[in-house]
């Protein structure tokens, strides 16, 4: 079994997770644009059509609202669909189905109907795909009650979050960052499952907390390394789940660092970073020994040109500078 | 550039005095280097600096400084400021900062007014009167009843931070230690000198705080020491006196090993929560001649071999009595072990050294009747005790620790 293979790419981890789900439950199937013959626009589902056949790996027309709606219906009718939306930018076409149906039907039916639907989407910038393919909209989805929003940043989470999502009776959205697909990581053979409720401490430190998720996690870890060389010990918290937010872990970190930098590839205005900052102000104000600082994407559509794109997205140097300014003003 | 501050060598230290610098301004230091000798109530302590780079701006000798006071600046490698000996005609912001000290940097005018980026636009002028306070600093200042109007902050935008407030509170305290003047007038002994009266005062403060704040619970257990004694006798028989082990070594190692199994007792209770220690750094209680007590750390005791532990104990006891303990040894203990030794009492119930959460005690090894397979026989026994912080653990956990120590001492060959 591949679980015994220690080193794996994030892409392969996503694929193995889907394979496991298909093998574990005959009600499970995959549906989306180019997931079958083409093998997925990011090659995540490559080979699954051959293994599981066209009944379970279904290519759809370019009609996000239609096939996402079909996924909602299939889930209501007792199946366990995994819908892939090529990038979260296109998911806006399906927002009606996601918000008005998937997220609300369980509530509107007084709990009589569950929508055990999983929607995977690629998110984020950094691969020169320009503004219509590079935005980070997971923070928007975290606004919606009735959804769970997962943001795997490590190979381990990419490998095991899906199983937890499949087991959840609610609609669960998984945002896979496009830059992470090629990232390699070690899998601990002892770990065979992960939770989808907790943020995780990725690096302990005492001077400042870097709170982040997705592809900003490796950037924060690199920043922590740079800061350490300078004697600043940064603690790195990987949110993992944007809804519901695990504020306990964030506040716990803050209670000893008393300083926080939130790093979010979304835009600042009305973002998940804004939500975290607001909750810290509501619940943990007197723990703070410095202003809450955010490193986010510039408030522009993500540019195409490489140097412009780099300048628009959060980068290690900006994280280092933000943390340093808090610790050693 | 980083600040090297007066370390807190335990909960009972409020001030210290640099009596000797072992480096000169401009020296390049490695992290962990011993850079100064600081006189405290625990005697003259070798102070390590865990910053690397070029050290500058050394604090003056023989001045009583509070914990957290600036002792020196350390410029990391690659920083231009430290390397340049002569000020250039137009000092950069960094050199200006180095000359003026850290408190100035926050308020120093920016070298060139730059167009604010649209995103950086914030409230340009603050309407606050008096110094800014961080929320944490504001709450602490209120608790302390401290007037902050005249204070200057080191935080973002010159705000007063928690550390600034606590430092100011220490400085404004009306001479909390009456022993200080006596200490100042007393002739300073070469290296060993600590003032027993001052140390007594510090112990009194720490132990009073412990008994006032920590809800202790106590557990005791009597342990058969025959297996350990037999193993020790066999081991020592074949070795020169210099290489022989004392029973204390076994007790220390057994405790350290047991803490691997029961990490809930190896750490600190601070700010209302338990935090486990970064390693098993056993503070070994050492009685000083002339009175007084110090419990410096034997670092990573669980990973040291018995001969290594014996050497560490010997070295530590010698330095505790003759002077030359290092700052990390006083700052790092995650638990305390007190072993009364051959001339000690039969058992001990310890008082926890805050913010640690446990103290393990061993009495003298005594010959007592013991029941083995239904028969009363004379056996060497040792009374083992635990005093632990009930906020951090319950008796069940404490019992697990005692059982684990017992188990370890029944199989001394595995230590």
């Amino acid at each position: 079994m591949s679980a015994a293979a220690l080193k794996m790419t994030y892409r392969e981890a996503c694929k193995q997770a889907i394979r496991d789900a298909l093998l574990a439950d005959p009600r499970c199937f995959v549906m989306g644009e180019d997931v079958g013959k083409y093998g997925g626009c990011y090659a995540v589902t490559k080979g699954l059509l051959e293994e599981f056949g066209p009944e379970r790996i279904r290519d759809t027309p370019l009609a996000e609202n239609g096939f996402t709606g079909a996924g909602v219906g299939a889930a209501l009718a007792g199946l366990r669909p995994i819908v892939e939306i090529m990038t979260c930018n296109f998911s806006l076409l399906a927002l009606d189905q996601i918000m008005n149906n998937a997220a609300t039907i369980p509530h509107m039916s007084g709990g009589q109907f569950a929508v055990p639907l999983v929607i995977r989407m690629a998110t984020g910038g950094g691969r020169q795909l320009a503004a219509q393919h590079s935005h980070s909209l997971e923070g928007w989805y975290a606004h919606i009650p009735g959804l769970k929003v997962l943001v795997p940043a490590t190979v381990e989470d990419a490998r095991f979050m899906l199983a937890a999502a499949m087991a959840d009776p609610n609609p669960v959205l998984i945002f896979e960052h496009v830059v992470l697909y090629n990232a390699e990581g070690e899998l601990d053979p002892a770990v065979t499952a992960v939770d989808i409720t907790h943020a995780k401490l990725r690096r302990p430190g005492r001077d400042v907390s870097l709170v982040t998720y997705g592809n900003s996690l490796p950037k924060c870890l690199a920043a922590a390394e740079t800061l350490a060389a300078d004697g600043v010990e940064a603690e790195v918290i990987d949110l993992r789940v944007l809804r519901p937010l695990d504020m306990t872990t964030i506040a716990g970190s803050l209670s000893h660092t008393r300083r926080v930098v939130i790093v979010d590839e979304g835009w600042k205005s009305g973002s998940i970073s804004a939500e975290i900052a607001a909750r810290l102000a509501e619940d943990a104000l007197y723990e703070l020994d410095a202003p809450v600082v955010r490193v986010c994407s510039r408030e522009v559509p993500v540019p195409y040109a490489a140097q412009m794109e780099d300048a628009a997205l959060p980068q290690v140097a900006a994280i280092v500078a933000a943390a340093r300014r808090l610790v050693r003003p | 550039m980083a600040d090297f501050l007066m370390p807190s060598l335990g909960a009972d230290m409020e001030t210290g005095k640099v009596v000797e610098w072992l480096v000169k301004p401009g020296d390049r230091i490695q992290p962990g280097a011993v850079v100064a000798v600081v006189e405290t109530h625990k005697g003259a302590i070798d102070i390590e600096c865990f910053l690397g780079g070029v050290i500058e701006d050394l604090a003056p000798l023989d001045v009583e400084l509070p914990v957290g006071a600036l002792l020196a600046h350390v410029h990391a490698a690659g920083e231009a400021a430290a390397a340049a000996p002569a000020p250039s005609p137009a000092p950069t912001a960094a050199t200006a900062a180095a000359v003026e000290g850290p408190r100035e940097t926050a308020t120093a005018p920016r070298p060139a007014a730059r167009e604010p980026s649209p995103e950086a636009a914030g409230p340009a002028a603050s309407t606050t009167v008096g110094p800014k306070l961080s929320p944490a600093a504001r709450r602490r200042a209120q608790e302390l009843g401290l007037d902050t109007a005249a204070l200057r902050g080191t935080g973002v935008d010159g705000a007063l931070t928690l550390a600034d407030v606590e430092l100011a509170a220490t400085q404004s305290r009306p001479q909390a230690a009456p022993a200080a003047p006596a200490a100042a007038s007393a002739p300073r002994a070469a290296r060993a000198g600590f003032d027993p009266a001052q140390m007594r005062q510090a112990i009194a403060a720490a132990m009073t705080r412990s008994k006032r704040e920590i809800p202790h619970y106590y557990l005791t257990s009597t342990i058969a020491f025959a297996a350990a004694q037999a193993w020790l006798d066999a081991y020592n028989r074949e070795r020169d006196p210099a290489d022989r082990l004392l029973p204390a070594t076994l007790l220390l190692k057994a405790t350290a090993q047991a803490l691997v199994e029961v990490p809930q007792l190896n750490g600190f209770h601070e700010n209302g929560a338990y935090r486990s220690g970064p390693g098993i750094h056993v503070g070994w209680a050492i009685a000083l001649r002339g009175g007084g007590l110090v419990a410096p750390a034997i670092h990573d005791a669980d990973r040291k071999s018995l001969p290594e532990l014996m050497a560490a104990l010997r070295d530590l006891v010698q330095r505790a009595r003759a002077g030359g303990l290092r700052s990390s040894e006083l700052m790092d203990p995650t638990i305390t072990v007190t072993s009364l030794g051959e001339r000690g009492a039969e058992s001990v119930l310890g008082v926890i050294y805050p913010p640690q959460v446990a103290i393990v005690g061993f009495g003298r090894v005594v010959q007592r009747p013991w029941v083995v397979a239904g028969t009363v026989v004379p056996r060497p026994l040792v009374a083992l005790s635990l005093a632990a912080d009930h906020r951090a653990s319950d008796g069940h956990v404490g019992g697990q620790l005692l059982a684990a120590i017992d188990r370890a001492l029944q199989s001394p060959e595995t230590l």
Side-chain angles (χ1 to χ4, degrees), chain B residues 96-125:
Chain B
V99 173
E100 292 166 17
R103 277 149 205 275
E104 298 299 317
T105 53
T107 52
R110 301 265 179 265
R114 206 173 278 169
E115 278 293 309
S117 85
E119 304 213 326

PDB file of all heavy atoms in Angstrom, chain B residues 96-125:
ATOM      1  N   ALA B  96      22.922  54.848  13.825  1.00  0.00           N
ATOM      2  CA  ALA B  96      22.334  55.812  14.753  1.00  0.00           C
ATOM      3  C   ALA B  96      21.670  55.079  15.897  1.00  0.00           C
ATOM      4  O   ALA B  96      21.822  55.435  17.057  1.00  0.00           O
ATOM      5  CB  ALA B  96      21.320  56.687  14.018  1.00  0.00           C
ATOM      6  N   ALA B  97      20.981  53.999  15.551  1.00  0.00           N
ATOM      7  CA  ALA B  97      20.304  53.229  16.580  1.00  0.00           C
ATOM      8  C   ALA B  97      21.314  52.653  17.547  1.00  0.00           C
ATOM      9  O   ALA B  97      21.122  52.670  18.756  1.00  0.00           O
ATOM     10  CB  ALA B  97      19.487  52.129  15.943  1.00  0.00           C
ATOM     11  N   ALA B  98      22.446  52.168  16.996  1.00  0.00           N
ATOM     12  CA  ALA B  98      23.436  51.530  17.851  1.00  0.00           C
ATOM     13  C   ALA B  98      24.012  52.535  18.837  1.00  0.00           C
ATOM     14  O   ALA B  98      24.287  52.211  19.983  1.00  0.00           O
ATOM     15  CB  ALA B  98      24.552  50.940  16.992  1.00  0.00           C
ATOM     16  N   VAL B  99      24.185  53.749  18.390  1.00  0.00           N
ATOM     17  CA  VAL B  99      24.765  54.756  19.259  1.00  0.00           C
ATOM     18  C   VAL B  99      23.760  55.215  20.307  1.00  0.00           C
ATOM     19  O   VAL B  99      24.065  55.334  21.473  1.00  0.00           O
ATOM     20  CB  VAL B  99      25.252  55.957  18.414  1.00  0.00           C
ATOM     21  CG1 VAL B  99      25.696  57.086  19.326  1.00  0.00           C
ATOM     22  CG2 VAL B  99      26.408  55.509  17.526  1.00  0.00           C
ATOM     23  N   GLU B 100      22.541  55.405  19.863  1.00  0.00           N
ATOM     24  CA  GLU B 100      21.572  56.008  20.763  1.00  0.00           C
ATOM     25  C   GLU B 100      20.900  55.006  21.690  1.00  0.00           C
ATOM     26  O   GLU B 100      20.299  55.410  22.670  1.00  0.00           O
ATOM     27  CB  GLU B 100      20.484  56.721  19.948  1.00  0.00           C
ATOM     28  CG  GLU B 100      21.027  57.944  19.218  1.00  0.00           C
ATOM     29  CD  GLU B 100      20.057  58.442  18.169  1.00  0.00           C
ATOM     30  OE1 GLU B 100      18.877  58.056  18.248  1.00  0.00           O
ATOM     31  OE2 GLU B 100      20.481  59.191  17.296  1.00  0.00           O
ATOM     32  N   GLY B 101      20.998  53.740  21.355  1.00  0.00           N
ATOM     33  CA  GLY B 101      20.351  52.741  22.194  1.00  0.00           C
ATOM     34  C   GLY B 101      18.956  52.467  21.690  1.00  0.00           C
ATOM     35  O   GLY B 101      18.395  53.237  20.919  1.00  0.00           O
ATOM     36  N   PRO B 102      18.406  51.350  22.136  1.00  0.00           N
ATOM     37  CA  PRO B 102      17.166  50.862  21.536  1.00  0.00           C
ATOM     38  C   PRO B 102      15.954  51.735  21.830  1.00  0.00           C
ATOM     39  O   PRO B 102      15.021  51.762  21.065  1.00  0.00           O
ATOM     40  CB  PRO B 102      16.996  49.490  22.180  1.00  0.00           C
ATOM     41  CG  PRO B 102      17.731  49.608  23.480  1.00  0.00           C
ATOM     42  CD  PRO B 102      18.852  50.563  23.248  1.00  0.00           C
ATOM     43  N   ARG B 103      15.996  52.427  22.923  1.00  0.00           N
ATOM     44  CA  ARG B 103      14.814  53.203  23.273  1.00  0.00           C
ATOM     45  C   ARG B 103      14.591  54.358  22.308  1.00  0.00           C
ATOM     46  O   ARG B 103      13.515  54.908  22.218  1.00  0.00           O
ATOM     47  CB  ARG B 103      14.945  53.732  24.694  1.00  0.00           C
ATOM     48  CG  ARG B 103      14.526  52.701  25.699  1.00  0.00           C
ATOM     49  CD  ARG B 103      15.286  52.833  26.990  1.00  0.00           C
ATOM     50  NE  ARG B 103      15.300  51.545  27.676  1.00  0.00           N
ATOM     51  CZ  ARG B 103      14.325  51.131  28.460  1.00  0.00           C
ATOM     52  NH1 ARG B 103      13.259  51.874  28.631  1.00  0.00           N
ATOM     53  NH2 ARG B 103      14.399  49.976  29.056  1.00  0.00           N
ATOM     54  N   GLU B 104      15.682  54.741  21.635  1.00  0.00           N
ATOM     55  CA  GLU B 104      15.555  55.879  20.736  1.00  0.00           C
ATOM     56  C   GLU B 104      15.001  55.477  19.376  1.00  0.00           C
ATOM     57  O   GLU B 104      14.407  56.289  18.699  1.00  0.00           O
ATOM     58  CB  GLU B 104      16.930  56.528  20.530  1.00  0.00           C
ATOM     59  CG  GLU B 104      17.527  57.071  21.806  1.00  0.00           C
ATOM     60  CD  GLU B 104      16.665  58.155  22.425  1.00  0.00           C
ATOM     61  OE1 GLU B 104      16.172  59.010  21.667  1.00  0.00           O
ATOM     62  OE2 GLU B 104      16.457  58.132  23.640  1.00  0.00           O
ATOM     63  N   THR B 105      15.221  54.242  18.993  1.00  0.00           N
ATOM     64  CA  THR B 105      14.922  53.876  17.610  1.00  0.00           C
ATOM     65  C   THR B 105      13.460  54.087  17.273  1.00  0.00           C
ATOM     66  O   THR B 105      13.138  54.521  16.181  1.00  0.00           O
ATOM     67  CB  THR B 105      15.284  52.412  17.343  1.00  0.00           C
ATOM     68  OG1 THR B 105      14.640  51.623  18.339  1.00  0.00           O
ATOM     69  CG2 THR B 105      16.764  52.210  17.372  1.00  0.00           C
ATOM     70  N   ALA B 106      12.615  53.818  18.206  1.00  0.00           N
ATOM     71  CA  ALA B 106      11.200  53.891  17.884  1.00  0.00           C
ATOM     72  C   ALA B 106      10.771  55.319  17.560  1.00  0.00           C
ATOM     73  O   ALA B 106       9.925  55.544  16.714  1.00  0.00           O
ATOM     74  CB  ALA B 106      10.382  53.354  19.040  1.00  0.00           C
ATOM     75  N   THR B 107      11.386  56.254  18.238  1.00  0.00           N
ATOM     76  CA  THR B 107      10.949  57.626  18.029  1.00  0.00           C
ATOM     77  C   THR B 107      11.868  58.378  17.072  1.00  0.00           C
ATOM     78  O   THR B 107      11.579  59.509  16.713  1.00  0.00           O
ATOM     79  CB  THR B 107      10.929  58.370  19.374  1.00  0.00           C
ATOM     80  OG1 THR B 107      12.203  58.180  19.989  1.00  0.00           O
ATOM     81  CG2 THR B 107       9.845  57.853  20.276  1.00  0.00           C
ATOM     82  N   ALA B 108      12.998  57.759  16.690  1.00  0.00           N
ATOM     83  CA  ALA B 108      13.934  58.448  15.805  1.00  0.00           C
ATOM     84  C   ALA B 108      13.248  58.822  14.500  1.00  0.00           C
ATOM     85  O   ALA B 108      12.456  58.053  13.985  1.00  0.00           O
ATOM     86  CB  ALA B 108      15.128  57.554  15.517  1.00  0.00           C
ATOM     87  N   PRO B 109      13.552  59.998  13.997  1.00  0.00           N
ATOM     88  CA  PRO B 109      12.926  60.388  12.736  1.00  0.00           C
ATOM     89  C   PRO B 109      13.400  59.493  11.606  1.00  0.00           C
ATOM     90  O   PRO B 109      14.548  59.068  11.585  1.00  0.00           O
ATOM     91  CB  PRO B 109      13.408  61.831  12.536  1.00  0.00           C
ATOM     92  CG  PRO B 109      14.614  61.974  13.392  1.00  0.00           C
ATOM     93  CD  PRO B 109      14.467  61.017  14.524  1.00  0.00           C
ATOM     94  N   ARG B 110      12.517  59.172  10.724  1.00  0.00           N
ATOM     95  CA  ARG B 110      12.872  58.360   9.561  1.00  0.00           C
ATOM     96  C   ARG B 110      13.849  59.148   8.705  1.00  0.00           C
ATOM     97  O   ARG B 110      13.705  60.368   8.566  1.00  0.00           O
ATOM     98  CB  ARG B 110      11.623  58.030   8.764  1.00  0.00           C
ATOM     99  CG  ARG B 110      10.594  57.279   9.577  1.00  0.00           C
ATOM    100  CD  ARG B 110      10.733  55.777   9.362  1.00  0.00           C
ATOM    101  NE  ARG B 110       9.764  55.055  10.171  1.00  0.00           N
ATOM    102  CZ  ARG B 110      10.038  54.545  11.374  1.00  0.00           C
ATOM    103  NH1 ARG B 110      11.236  54.696  11.880  1.00  0.00           N
ATOM    104  NH2 ARG B 110       9.131  53.881  12.040  1.00  0.00           N
ATOM    105  N   PRO B 111      14.858  58.490   8.123  1.00  0.00           N
ATOM    106  CA  PRO B 111      15.874  59.193   7.347  1.00  0.00           C
ATOM    107  C   PRO B 111      15.263  60.007   6.206  1.00  0.00           C
ATOM    108  O   PRO B 111      15.638  61.139   5.985  1.00  0.00           O
ATOM    109  CB  PRO B 111      16.747  58.076   6.795  1.00  0.00           C
ATOM    110  CG  PRO B 111      16.208  56.801   7.312  1.00  0.00           C
ATOM    111  CD  PRO B 111      15.089  57.070   8.237  1.00  0.00           C
ATOM    112  N   ALA B 112      14.371  59.434   5.492  1.00  0.00           N
ATOM    113  CA  ALA B 112      13.767  60.182   4.399  1.00  0.00           C
ATOM    114  C   ALA B 112      12.293  59.856   4.371  1.00  0.00           C
ATOM    115  O   ALA B 112      11.917  58.698   4.396  1.00  0.00           O
ATOM    116  CB  ALA B 112      14.414  59.798   3.074  1.00  0.00           C
ATOM    117  N   ALA B 113      11.496  60.900   4.351  1.00  0.00           N
ATOM    118  CA  ALA B 113      10.058  60.666   4.318  1.00  0.00           C
ATOM    119  C   ALA B 113       9.708  60.001   2.997  1.00  0.00           C
ATOM    120  O   ALA B 113      10.039  60.500   1.930  1.00  0.00           O
ATOM    121  CB  ALA B 113       9.323  61.989   4.463  1.00  0.00           C
ATOM    122  N   ARG B 114       9.115  58.857   3.081  1.00  0.00           N
ATOM    123  CA  ARG B 114       8.760  58.127   1.867  1.00  0.00           C
ATOM    124  C   ARG B 114       7.260  58.235   1.681  1.00  0.00           C
ATOM    125  O   ARG B 114       6.516  58.318   2.656  1.00  0.00           O
ATOM    126  CB  ARG B 114       9.183  56.664   2.035  1.00  0.00           C
ATOM    127  CG  ARG B 114       9.462  55.978   0.720  1.00  0.00           C
ATOM    128  CD  ARG B 114      10.029  54.596   0.982  1.00  0.00           C
ATOM    129  NE  ARG B 114      11.473  54.650   1.256  1.00  0.00           N
ATOM    130  CZ  ARG B 114      12.137  53.601   1.726  1.00  0.00           C
ATOM    131  NH1 ARG B 114      11.521  52.487   2.006  1.00  0.00           N
ATOM    132  NH2 ARG B 114      13.433  53.681   1.916  1.00  0.00           N
ATOM    133  N   GLU B 115       6.852  58.214   0.443  1.00  0.00           N
ATOM    134  CA  GLU B 115       5.420  58.222   0.170  1.00  0.00           C
ATOM    135  C   GLU B 115       4.793  57.025   0.848  1.00  0.00           C
ATOM    136  O   GLU B 115       5.232  55.902   0.644  1.00  0.00           O
ATOM    137  CB  GLU B 115       5.190  58.114  -1.342  1.00  0.00           C
ATOM    138  CG  GLU B 115       5.327  59.435  -2.085  1.00  0.00           C
ATOM    139  CD  GLU B 115       4.228  60.409  -1.717  1.00  0.00           C
ATOM    140  OE1 GLU B 115       3.051  60.015  -1.766  1.00  0.00           O
ATOM    141  OE2 GLU B 115       4.540  61.545  -1.385  1.00  0.00           O
ATOM    142  N   PRO B 116       3.801  57.229   1.682  1.00  0.00           N
ATOM    143  CA  PRO B 116       3.163  56.052   2.271  1.00  0.00           C
ATOM    144  C   PRO B 116       2.443  55.263   1.180  1.00  0.00           C
ATOM    145  O   PRO B 116       1.817  55.855   0.309  1.00  0.00           O
ATOM    146  CB  PRO B 116       2.165  56.646   3.263  1.00  0.00           C
ATOM    147  CG  PRO B 116       1.941  58.040   2.816  1.00  0.00           C
ATOM    148  CD  PRO B 116       3.155  58.481   2.069  1.00  0.00           C
ATOM    149  N   SER B 117       2.626  53.936   1.227  1.00  0.00           N
ATOM    150  CA  SER B 117       1.916  53.131   0.248  1.00  0.00           C
ATOM    151  C   SER B 117       0.437  53.181   0.591  1.00  0.00           C
ATOM    152  O   SER B 117       0.080  53.330   1.756  1.00  0.00           O
ATOM    153  CB  SER B 117       2.421  51.702   0.279  1.00  0.00           C
ATOM    154  OG  SER B 117       1.751  50.989   1.282  1.00  0.00           O
ATOM    155  N   PRO B 118      -0.420  53.046  -0.405  1.00  0.00           N
ATOM    156  CA  PRO B 118      -1.860  53.173  -0.123  1.00  0.00           C
ATOM    157  C   PRO B 118      -2.307  52.178   0.947  1.00  0.00           C
ATOM    158  O   PRO B 118      -3.186  52.474   1.742  1.00  0.00           O
ATOM    159  CB  PRO B 118      -2.518  52.902  -1.474  1.00  0.00           C
ATOM    160  CG  PRO B 118      -1.447  52.406  -2.385  1.00  0.00           C
ATOM    161  CD  PRO B 118      -0.140  52.831  -1.817  1.00  0.00           C
ATOM    162  N   GLU B 119      -1.630  51.019   0.976  1.00  0.00           N
ATOM    163  CA  GLU B 119      -2.072  50.001   1.916  1.00  0.00           C
ATOM    164  C   GLU B 119      -1.611  50.298   3.325  1.00  0.00           C
ATOM    165  O   GLU B 119      -2.195  49.848   4.288  1.00  0.00           O
ATOM    166  CB  GLU B 119      -1.515  48.650   1.491  1.00  0.00           C
ATOM    167  CG  GLU B 119      -1.907  48.311   0.078  1.00  0.00           C
ATOM    168  CD  GLU B 119      -2.106  46.848  -0.085  1.00  0.00           C
ATOM    169  OE1 GLU B 119      -1.381  46.110   0.594  1.00  0.00           O
ATOM    170  OE2 GLU B 119      -2.986  46.448  -0.852  1.00  0.00           O
ATOM    171  N   ALA B 120      -0.507  51.027   3.423  1.00  0.00           N
ATOM    172  CA  ALA B 120       0.034  51.287   4.749  1.00  0.00           C
ATOM    173  C   ALA B 120      -0.670  52.462   5.409  1.00  0.00           C
ATOM    174  O   ALA B 120      -0.380  52.800   6.538  1.00  0.00           O
ATOM    175  CB  ALA B 120       1.520  51.570   4.659  1.00  0.00           C
ATOM    176  N   ALA B 121      -1.561  53.090   4.671  1.00  0.00           N
ATOM    177  CA  ALA B 121      -2.215  54.266   5.228  1.00  0.00           C
ATOM    178  C   ALA B 121      -2.975  53.910   6.493  1.00  0.00           C
ATOM    179  O   ALA B 121      -3.832  53.042   6.484  1.00  0.00           O
ATOM    180  CB  ALA B 121      -3.164  54.864   4.202  1.00  0.00           C
ATOM    181  N   GLY B 122      -2.609  54.555   7.579  1.00  0.00           N
ATOM    182  CA  GLY B 122      -3.307  54.322   8.839  1.00  0.00           C
ATOM    183  C   GLY B 122      -3.572  55.683   9.430  1.00  0.00           C
ATOM    184  O   GLY B 122      -3.300  56.703   8.788  1.00  0.00           O
ATOM    185  N   PRO B 123      -4.091  55.740  10.635  1.00  0.00           N
ATOM    186  CA  PRO B 123      -4.258  57.045  11.262  1.00  0.00           C
ATOM    187  C   PRO B 123      -2.882  57.683  11.418  1.00  0.00           C
ATOM    188  O   PRO B 123      -2.007  57.113  12.075  1.00  0.00           O
ATOM    189  CB  PRO B 123      -4.898  56.707  12.610  1.00  0.00           C
ATOM    190  CG  PRO B 123      -4.704  55.242  12.803  1.00  0.00           C
ATOM    191  CD  PRO B 123      -4.525  54.644  11.453  1.00  0.00           C
ATOM    192  N   ALA B 124      -2.669  58.800  10.799  1.00  0.00           N
ATOM    193  CA  ALA B 124      -1.335  59.392  10.780  1.00  0.00           C
ATOM    194  C   ALA B 124      -0.961  59.937  12.147  1.00  0.00           C
ATOM    195  O   ALA B 124       0.099  59.666  12.671  1.00  0.00           O
ATOM    196  CB  ALA B 124      -1.286  60.498   9.739  1.00  0.00           C
ATOM    197  N   ALA B 125      -1.835  60.691  12.733  1.00  0.00           N
ATOM    198  CA  ALA B 125      -1.523  61.280  14.026  1.00  0.00           C
ATOM    199  C   ALA B 125      -2.402  60.640  15.092  1.00  0.00           C
ATOM    200  O   ALA B 125      -3.606  60.503  14.919  1.00  0.00           O
ATOM    201  CB  ALA B 125      -1.773  62.776  13.977  1.00  0.00           C
TER     202      ALA B 125
END
